[in-house]
Amino acid sequence: MQKTVLAMQSLLPDEMSELETHFRVIRLWKQRDPEATIKEERDNIVAILSTYNATRVSESLIEALPNLEIIAQFGVGVNNINIEAAAARDIAVTYTPDVLTNDTADIAVSLVLALARRIVEGDMFVRVSKWQNGPLPLGTTMAGKTAGIVGLGRIGQAIARRLAAFDMNIIYHGREEKQDQPYEYYADLTEMASAADFLVVSCTGGEETKNLVNYGVLEALGSKGFLVNIARGSVVNEEDLLIILRNQAIAGAGLDVFAAEPHVPEAMLTMDNVVLLPHIGSATIETRTEMGQLVIRNLRAHFEGEPLLTPYQ
Ligand code: DGY
């Protein structure tokens, strides 16, 4: 008999079909009463397919499934999963690192470029025929400027390599100095922000980094500085950011992530010093396909008694 997977959100159609050749899949978002379905299926469900932006895999959901063996996350961030509750029951957790590193780093660089060179503003400027009345205000040169990366993990390093290729000076902040990295380390985030022209947030989300980038850090970045966040909305205190943006205490912000997605603070929608994206770090056909394949291979490996390809921790 096929094992039952509770899917909280869909993979791409091809991967979804492939998943269904190996498992019995309950599509939770299609259920009229998801809670009732979970109750009815509680003994059958042995795996959860979760995604970085879907409903939380909470302690109560984990507790409600007595035969749950594995949570396979579609995404590199696992802040939607109660990892402690899973560990307490010895439930395996897998995720999809590496395959999305390049695309996510590209989005960070796109936001740096968009802010520095007023790309989005320029597009609108042409479309609404403002060009006829004079030129777009001048942008900012990237070469020679300093990018301060918050979190020099896989994605942070890929961002650093890319921005270094734009002749930018790279510095970073994180829990600890990385001896194998050529960039200058700042143990103090506020200090790094005052040394940076672009503060690029690429650390993990969750309680540990909640509101790490607060008023003081943003103020230190200064009125010529730009903030880019491709990590998690929770890392930046959104209230503080709104005040700072309103007062033009930084030059602008490029955001791919928000505290309560898909909700974006109303006030940001009318600000012209922000570039807003709908969390598209990994959103390419190639990467989402690879992420889906990795989810399937992890699930199959688990139930075939093979080592997991990408266990979390
Ligand atoms: C992830 O996988 O966690 C990323 O945020 C996707 O863009």
Side-chain angles (χ1 to χ4, degrees), residues 52 73-79 96 100 104 230-232 256-257 279-283 288 291:
Y52 66 89
Q73 169 86 341
F74 177 84
V76 69
V78 294
N79 51 301
T96 60
L100 47 64
T104 308
I230 54 92
R232 284 293 179 266
D256 185 40
V257 288
H279 199 149
I280 56 169
S282 64
R288 290 281 166 89
M291 289 164 70

Side-chain angles (χ1 to χ4, degrees), residues 84-156:
E84 292 75 30
R89 285 243 327 261
D90 253 343
I91 293 165
V93 177
T94 63
Y95 68 147
T96 60
D98 301 317
V99 293
L100 47 64
T101 298
N102 287 332
D103 279 348
T104 308
D106 289 349
I107 285 296
V109 174
S110 306
L111 285 170
V112 171
L113 271 163
L115 291 166
R117 304 306 307 273
R118 299 181 180 269
I119 303 292
V120 177
E121 221 181 313
D123 175 84
M124 194 51 73
F125 193 79
V126 174
R127 286 174 200 267
V128 301
S129 303
K130 279 196 183 166
W131 196 7
Q132 283 80 343
N133 306 325
L136 183 74
L138 298 178
T140 302
T141 297
M142 284 165 63
K145 296 282 164 44
T146 296
I149 314 246
V150 184
L152 200 68
R154 282 174 285 243
I155 296 173

Side-chain angles (χ1 to χ4, degrees), residues 64-83:
L65 304 173
N67 298 320
L68 185 63
E69 292 180 30
I70 179 168
I71 301 165
Q73 169 86 341
F74 177 84
V76 69
V78 294
N79 51 301
N80 57 312
I81 301 173
N82 190 321
I83 296 289

Side-chain angles (χ1 to χ4, degrees), residues 113-252:
L113 271 163
L115 291 166
R117 304 306 307 273
R118 299 181 180 269
I119 303 292
V120 177
E121 221 181 313
D123 175 84
M124 194 51 73
F125 193 79
V126 174
R127 286 174 200 267
V128 301
S129 303
K130 279 196 183 166
W131 196 7
Q132 283 80 343
N133 306 325
L136 183 74
L138 298 178
T140 302
T141 297
M142 284 165 63
K145 296 282 164 44
T146 296
I149 314 246
V150 184
L152 200 68
R154 282 174 285 243
I155 296 173
Q157 287 173 37
I159 295 169
R161 285 194 299 274
R162 282 159 172 74
L163 293 181
F166 282 87
D167 293 333
M168 294 184 80
N169 171 41
I170 310 295
I171 58 180
Y172 73 100
H173 165 80
R175 267 182 309 228
E176 58 204 24
E177 185 165 7
K178 296 196 182 245
Q179 301 302 340
D180 61 341
Q181 294 301 313
Y183 317 113
E184 190 183 347
Y185 174 67
Y186 282 73
D188 187 278
L189 176 56
T190 310
E191 222 175 275
M192 182 180 82
S194 16
D197 300 291
F198 294 82
L199 189 69
V200 184
V201 182
S202 69
C203 58
T204 48
E207 278 309 308
E208 206 186 319
T209 55
K210 193 158 188 230
N211 294 334
L212 181 70
V213 178
N214 56 21
Y215 194 91
V217 173
L218 293 167
E219 202 179 30
L221 181 59
S223 61
K224 290 195 174 141
F226 294 95
L227 170 77
V228 166
N229 187 6
I230 54 92
R232 284 293 179 266
S234 59
V235 183
V236 176
N237 184 318
E238 243 168 39
E239 298 281 307
D240 290 355
L241 177 60
L242 278 168
I243 297 170
I244 288 274
L245 284 168
R246 234 184 247 125
N247 297 341
Q248 297 183 358
I250 61 171

